[in-house]
Amino acid sequence: MIETVVEKRLTVGTRLSIAVMILVNLHLLAPFNLSDSPFARIFTTFRVILYFSLFIIFFYVLQRKAKIADVPGAGVILVLLLSMACSTYLGQAERDSWLAFGKEFAFVTYSVLAASMLRSLQAIKTLLRWSMYVTIVFVIISTFHILSLSNVLPSASSARFLEHMIAGQTELQYSFSPGIVGRESSLWFDANNFGYIVASQIVYLVYLLVAEKPRKITLVFRYSVLVLFVVAIVRTLSRGSFLAVLIGVSLFLFFAKGSTSNRLKVFLRVAGVTVFVVVGLAVSSSQISELVQRFYLATGLVGNDQAANLMGGMETERVITAENTYSEFLQKPVLGWGSGKMLGLVWNGSTGNHLGYLDILGHYGIIGFALMIAVLWIALSRLRQCMRYLGVRQERDVYLAYCLVGILGVSLVSEFFTVINMIEAVVPLLAMYLAVNEIRKNDASLGSSQ
């Protein structure tokens, strides 16, 4: 077994890439997006992505310090962008549609550039660690109600609309169960998106517990954070988040090699923490019974009169919207309707169908959807190569690849319920391949010099 090569210090470009990815992926620029101030609008998500992309292109790509061609699937991503442009042109070709396409084009370009900059395992670990720290802050704010949305968001109409929407989601009233159902959210994150962010961090925490043997004080801290995260995700009452955690953790523990007893020990501890939280909340509040009711509604949503009469959560509306979206997809099945079209809405304030994959089919058709699946397949196949090499070279490092598979599972589950660009989910996998490729080159140069 070859010892792990000492990682070089992260460059300015790499640190900038990590910072921008956290700002964008964790939606930390939301207050700027919702502001009416011309100065604040300079720092919207779209503009920050644009600044970052131009910086990387001029200072790294043009100077050949970073090669976009090295990113796996770069050619397929280029074809995907062309397909999306054709869908928009043939579908609607309206000004708002091209604006929406421009933002999606910028996001995909940013994702490829970010992947090209994260060329070391240290960079990927730093991204995950910083993301966990930011998530801890949001969970603490939510748990102890340190800040409210009105304290942070500007006094703009879009900010007030978001605040009203989140308030409506977090206070639901069921027709068959009197009373108000409280769902936990955090600042500008609604309950569902907040739950998915926490779900990814739970997978990362399980990775740390399996792959590392830290000091006792560090171990206590991580289990304390795990308890905090599990409490937060239970209080969101997000069914999709629970499914995402189950799939993400299961994928990691299934693929992770090493000591079976160690994996079993971590699994039992995580399960014990979950049971402890569930029992504690069941005794102290009605949230567990409310969560069970929400799962019941999900299983009997179609064809069940009690579920169909649900007043809160807009579940019935989502079914109708999904049916409408599918009908619109059948009208343009090859290339879809293009970017920016609101698919299948029952009314202007509709919550949508919460089926991200169906929205992708409706917007970009079978061709666009197939190209996105192709990018995902390429990323997974390259990650498999990483696992093989790291498994021989240094078994401890391969756990990081398994962690990324688990987080990908969370992202793919959340895609069922929210419209998240699938490219975002594969960026860490592409970066992992580039990092291992750099290690392989370094090992080859060391071998030849000896």
Side-chain angles (χ1 to χ4, degrees):
M1 182 183 297
I2 303 174
E3 293 298 325
T4 305
V5 176
V6 177
E7 296 281 359
K8 298 179 181 178
R9 186 176 181 179
L10 297 181
T11 64
V12 174
T14 303
R15 292 179 181 272
L16 176 64
S17 302
I18 294 172
V20 171
M21 289 185 70
I22 291 175
L23 288 173
V24 173
N25 297 350
L26 295 183
H27 309 286
L28 300 185
L29 298 171
F32 300 100
N33 298 337
L34 297 167
S35 176
D36 290 335
S37 168
F39 175 76
R41 299 291 297 176
I42 297 175
F43 303 101
T44 62
T45 299
F46 173 70
R47 286 182 170 84
V48 168
I49 286 175
L50 184 61
Y51 305 150
F52 167 79
S53 299
L54 292 175
F55 173 81
I56 298 301
I57 289 174
F58 280 107
F59 290 95
Y60 286 87
V61 176
L62 294 181
Q63 297 183 24
R64 298 184 179 182
K65 295 180 181 179
K67 297 180 180 179
I68 297 179
D70 290 345
V71 178
V76 179
I77 293 175
L78 178 60
V79 176
L80 171 62
L81 290 173
L82 293 175
S83 173
M84 293 166 62
C86 291
S87 298
T88 304
Y89 176 74
L90 297 175
Q92 299 178 95
E94 298 175 356
R95 180 176 180 274
D96 291 343
S97 301
W98 285 115
L99 288 175
F101 169 75
K103 292 182 179 180
E104 291 170 347
F105 179 89
F107 185 86
V108 173
T109 303
Y110 138 80
S111 299
V112 174
L113 291 172
S116 69
M117 294 301 297
L118 302 181
R119 288 177 171 268
S120 69
L121 300 182
Q122 181 187 4
I124 299 173
K125 292 176 182 178
T126 301
L127 172 64
L128 295 175
R129 185 172 64 253
W130 288 5
S131 298
M132 183 186 69
Y133 293 154
V134 172
T135 305
I136 290 174
V137 173
F138 277 101
V139 171
I140 291 175
I141 290 173
S142 171
T143 303
F144 299 102
H145 305 287
I146 297 175
L147 289 173
S148 64
L149 192 61
S150 58
N151 298 137
V152 178
L153 292 182
S155 57
S157 57
S158 54
R160 290 193 297 270
F161 175 78
L162 176 62
E163 188 173 8
H164 175 74
M165 184 190 71
I166 293 178
Q169 187 198 58
T170 54
E171 295 181 357
L172 306 180
Q173 186 171 7
Y174 294 144
S175 59
F176 62 90
S177 178
I180 298 296
V181 178
R183 302 183 63 189
E184 199 67 43
S185 60
S186 183
L187 296 181
W188 51 84
F189 294 103
D190 60 48
N192 290 327
N193 286 317
F194 183 47
Y196 294 130
I197 290 174
V198 176
S200 298
Q201 301 310 315
I202 290 177
V203 175
Y204 174 62
L205 270 174
V206 173
Y207 150 72
L208 292 177
L209 294 172
V210 171
E212 298 182 1
K213 294 182 180 180
R215 296 178 300 173
K216 288 186 178 180
I217 186 171
T218 303
L219 195 62
V220 170
F221 169 76
R222 289 175 179 173
Y223 275 108
S224 301
V225 172
L226 180 62
V227 171
L228 195 65
F229 283 176
V230 172
V231 170
I233 208 168
V234 169
R235 295 179 66 186
T236 63
L237 303 183
S238 173
R239 295 160 292 192
S241 300
F242 269 85
L243 180 62
V245 168
L246 179 62
I247 290 178
V249 173
S250 298
L251 282 172
F252 172 74
L253 292 177
F254 176 79
F255 287 109
K257 297 180 180 180
S259 172
T260 303
S261 60
N262 183 43
R263 284 184 292 165
L264 180 61
K265 180 171 62 176
V266 171
F267 171 77
L268 292 176
R269 287 178 178 176
V270 173
V273 168
T274 304
V275 171
F276 171 77
V277 170
V278 169
V279 172
L281 289 177
V283 173
S284 61
S285 69
S286 61
Q287 286 180 312
I288 298 301
S289 61
E290 292 161 356
L291 181 61
V292 172
Q293 286 181 350
R294 285 178 58 79
F295 273 106
Y296 163 75
L297 290 168
T299 57
L301 183 57
V302 180
N304 185 300
D305 292 337
Q306 193 176 30
N309 292 326
L310 181 68
M311 294 175 61
M314 303 293 184
E315 271 86 352
T316 305
E317 178 189 324
R318 292 173 190 171
V319 174
I320 298 173
T321 306
E323 293 172 350
N324 293 345
T325 303
Y326 181 69
S327 297
E328 293 182 350
F329 158 69
L330 293 179
Q331 297 175 27
K332 292 180 177 289
V334 179
L335 286 171
W337 291 87
S339 303
K341 180 176 174 58
M342 303 300 290
L343 297 168
L345 296 187
V346 180
W347 57 293
N348 290 335
S350 174
T351 61
N353 56 51
H354 283 225
L355 291 173
Y357 293 107
L358 186 57
D359 280 335
I360 293 173
L361 281 169
H363 284 134
Y364 309 117
I366 296 174
I367 292 179
F369 185 82
L371 288 170
M372 288 191 182
I373 296 299
V375 174
L376 176 62
W377 177 260
I378 291 172
L380 285 173
S381 64
R382 296 298 187 272
L383 188 68
R384 187 179 180 184
Q385 296 177 12
C386 297
M387 292 177 181
R388 290 175 179 173
Y389 187 76
L390 291 175
V392 175
R393 182 184 183 280
Q394 179 61 272
E395 188 175 1
R396 185 181 61 184
D397 291 336
V398 79
Y399 282 115
L400 180 60
Y402 300 134
C403 173
L404 296 181
V405 171
I407 293 176
L408 176 66
V410 173
S411 300
L412 294 181
V413 170
S414 68
E415 195 75 55
F416 280 106
F417 306 100
T418 57
V419 182
I420 301 175
N421 197 310
M422 290 180 65
I423 303 299
E424 176 184 336
V426 303
V427 167
L429 278 67
L430 301 178
M432 184 76 180
Y433 171 79
L434 294 175
V436 174
N437 202 36
E438 291 292 323
I439 293 175
R440 186 185 288 113
K441 291 178 181 178
N442 185 66
D443 289 346
S445 63
L446 289 176
S448 61
S449 63
Q450 295 175 357

